[in-house]
Amino acid sequence: MPTLSQLPLVHSETQGTNLLLSSDESRKLEHLSKNFYHNVRWNFSLERKKLAERTADKILDNINENLTPLSAKSHVEYMNRENAFSHRGGCIFQAHHLPKWAKDDPKKFFRADDNYEGCSNRLYVEIEFALSNETTNDEQYRQIINAFITKHSSDHYYASDIQEKIGALSNGQRHLHVHIMFSERIIDDVEKINERCPKNFFKYPKWFFHSR
């Protein structure tokens, strides 16, 4: 077996690094580069393109799962298809109920959640459910979300959206589903009368904390 010092160095122009390869491997790599580079780069079938898109979506989902315990703000971006998730599209409706200091911006509210919520507490809870395809306009979307919030979590600040996915295996049928993301902190009587500042809202005494 050759030692590392005996292996030839192959310079990578794109990465600016040197790779250690045996002579045979080096020749094979050159051969592949000359004969198949253009096919690999440009000759994508529709099936290969769809596979690449599904793979990219799975990677983003994995990134989101890893970020979720650490960043509530990043999950808002994922829900609303913003920043790193903007190319995925499909967010067709957004709604929220937030304190005045958040200025109608869920990211500002949940960024404060990231900064001030106790490290042993959950940053948020998310609820997701499917909608009938018969729902087709903003007013219907709003009524459905409001009815759910009124019954289950009217005493919490929240952000919500509705996403639409077109099923690749269901002849283009649309799939609607709702995401509702809320802080477990209760909007108590004190908060209703005089809203706390961000730091105080996420730090008020433990016995006011509402856990489900």
Side-chain angles (χ1 to χ4, degrees):
M1 295 290 290
T3 64
L4 289 178
S5 61
Q6 293 173 322
L7 291 172
L9 286 176
V10 178
H11 184 69
S12 170
E13 294 181 359
T14 57
Q15 299 297 327
T17 57
N18 292 323
L19 307 176
L20 289 171
L21 297 172
S22 68
S23 298
D24 288 342
E25 289 170 331
S26 177
R27 284 193 294 271
K28 288 178 182 177
L29 188 60
E30 275 189 57
H31 175 75
L32 286 172
S33 175
K34 291 178 181 178
N35 291 280
F36 298 105
Y37 174 76
H38 293 290
N39 287 336
V40 172
R41 186 175 177 83
W42 301 112
N43 190 20
F44 279 113
S45 66
L46 180 60
E47 183 178 354
R48 281 177 177 266
K49 182 179 178 181
K50 288 182 177 179
L51 178 60
E53 289 174 348
R54 288 197 297 270
T55 302
D57 285 344
K58 288 180 179 179
I59 291 172
L60 285 175
D61 285 338
N62 288 336
I63 292 173
N64 177 65
E65 288 175 3
N66 290 329
L67 287 175
T68 294
L70 301 176
S71 174
K73 173 182 168 288
S74 68
H75 194 72
V76 175
E77 294 176 347
Y78 171 77
M79 283 174 46
N80 294 342
R81 299 300 194 249
E82 297 173 338
N83 295 334
F85 308 100
S86 60
H87 78 283
R88 301 185 68 175
C91 180
I92 61 175
F93 179 81
Q94 298 178 27
H96 56 259
H97 173 50
L98 301 170
K100 293 177 183 177
W101 54 261
K103 300 184 183 300
D104 286 325
D105 185 353
K107 286 190 290 186
K108 185 171 184 177
F109 176 80
F110 284 102
R111 186 187 299 115
D113 187 0
D114 288 328
N115 291 337
Y116 300 122
E117 183 61 84
C119 61
S120 61
N121 298 332
R122 286 190 294 189
L123 294 175
Y124 64 90
V125 172
E126 183 182 24
I127 297 170
E128 181 178 347
F129 57 88
L131 289 180
S132 166
N133 286 340
E134 281 71 31
T135 50
T136 58
N137 59 67
D138 286 1
E139 185 55 35
Q140 288 177 316
Y141 301 149
R142 197 182 313 277
Q143 289 175 3
I144 290 169
I145 291 175
N146 287 345
F148 184 91
I149 292 293
T150 299
K151 183 174 182 179
H152 297 287
S153 54
S154 60
D155 52 353
H156 297 270
Y157 293 125
Y158 72 89
S160 66
D161 69 21
I162 294 177
Q163 295 180 8
E164 178 185 58
K165 288 186 177 180
I166 304 301
L169 302 177
S170 57
N171 297 321
Q173 185 177 4
R174 62 202 295 255
H175 299 280
L176 296 173
H177 57 283
V178 179
H179 292 263
I180 300 175
M181 175 184 180
F182 62 91
S183 166
E184 289 185 298
R185 296 267 174 183
I186 282 184
I187 305 173
D188 61 7
D189 291 339
V190 174
E191 179 72 10
K192 291 176 182 177
I193 296 172
N194 186 20
E195 289 182 359
R196 299 172 175 88
C197 69
K199 183 176 181 179
N200 289 342
F201 178 76
F202 291 105
K203 292 290 186 182
Y204 64 81
K206 192 79 169 181
W207 54 80
F208 286 115
F209 186 80
H210 182 63
S211 179
R212 292 178 181 271

